[in-house]
Amino acid sequence: RWSACVRRKSAAAFEGYCQTSATTLASAHPKTTRRQSMLRETLTGSMKDAMKAKDQVTLSTLRLVNAAIKQQDIDVRSSGNEDGIADSEILSLLQKMIKQRRESIRMYEGGGRADAAAQEAAEIEVIERFLPQMMSEAEVEAALEEVIAETGAGSIKDMGPVMAALKQKYAGQIDFGSVSPIVKQRLCALAKAA
């Protein structure tokens, strides 16, 4: 009878301790509220669909994409950004992944590894599904003129802000590696005209 009484009191004390600890823990470490972006939702939904369809190429590629996004999220959290990277940064990351795979394809083809090159090409196809349509040369020129006017750029010294504005507004729609020389040329022409 005595041991049953002790057990009841001990259980009640333990339950009270757990509730207090949970409250303390919750206040000390509030849950981070990450805004769920549309692109993240699309990637997650596509990964679930690939699991159901047993599409291993799509599934493995999307797992790589999600791992890269999570790594970027971790990197920006150290600077106080609890929400993780924005959709524009995800689009830039996807473009970077495509560029890496294209370089790998060239190396594999040069080394006579057609099977590995085909795997990389298949991954590119999966990643490209999540990128917006690339802008034409005329659209890139128009976007560049718009950004130059918005930023008030007038010389090569303004290249950084112009490229940053282009990346923010047109991430995933412009190949920034190929547009960089065009921006440089246009800003040099503006400086000479002034």
Side-chain angles (χ1 to χ4, degrees):
R1 185 176 141 176
W2 182 79
S3 62
C5 180
V6 170
R7 273 190 297 225
R8 272 195 304 258
K9 286 184 179 181
S10 296
F14 181 71
E15 190 175 301
Y17 170 77
C18 288
Q19 288 174 351
T20 304
S21 296
T23 306
T24 306
L25 187 63
S27 63
H29 304 287
K31 291 182 181 178
T32 57
T33 56
R34 172 185 289 164
R35 68 181 155 71
Q36 189 68 5
S37 69
M38 291 298 292
L39 187 53
R40 287 177 194 262
E41 289 176 10
T42 304
L43 287 165
T44 302
S46 296
M47 195 161 83
K48 289 177 183 176
D49 292 342
M51 279 187 220
K52 290 175 187 173
K54 299 189 186 319
D55 182 353
Q56 290 303 315
V57 173
T58 301
L59 183 59
S60 64
T61 303
L62 292 179
R63 283 182 174 156
L64 290 171
V65 168
N66 277 336
I69 291 170
K70 285 180 183 178
Q71 182 59 51
Q72 292 291 321
D73 285 343
I74 290 168
D75 292 344
V76 299
R77 277 193 200 120
S78 62
S79 62
N81 182 351
E82 293 298 322
D83 289 337
I85 61 176
D87 277 358
S88 60
E89 294 168 297
I90 293 173
L91 291 172
S92 296
L93 177 66
L94 294 177
Q95 280 189 321
K96 183 178 174 184
M97 293 178 81
I98 287 174
K99 183 178 178 184
Q100 290 170 340
R101 278 153 183 76
R102 286 190 176 131
E103 290 170 3
S104 297
I105 287 172
R106 280 193 291 276
M107 290 190 322
Y108 287 140
E109 287 174 344
R113 296 196 50 207
D115 57 330
Q119 174 67 29
E120 297 289 331
E123 289 180 2
I124 287 173
E125 286 179 24
V126 172
I127 295 169
E128 284 179 336
R129 292 182 210 161
F130 301 96
L131 289 174
Q133 185 176 357
M134 297 298 278
M135 295 172 73
S136 67
E137 281 186 41
E139 291 171 326
V140 170
E141 287 289 336
L144 177 58
E145 292 303 321
E146 178 187 329
V147 167
I148 287 174
E150 285 176 4
T151 59
S155 71
I156 193 69
K157 293 178 184 176
D158 300 317
M159 186 162 175
V162 169
M163 290 299 289
L166 283 171
K167 286 180 181 179
Q168 184 178 9
K169 290 179 89 170
Y170 303 105
Q173 299 174 350
I174 297 175
D175 178 9
F176 292 102
S178 64
V179 83
S180 181
I182 298 168
V183 172
K184 191 174 191 178
Q185 181 183 17
R186 181 71 180 109
L187 292 175
C188 287
L190 284 173
K192 287 180 184 176

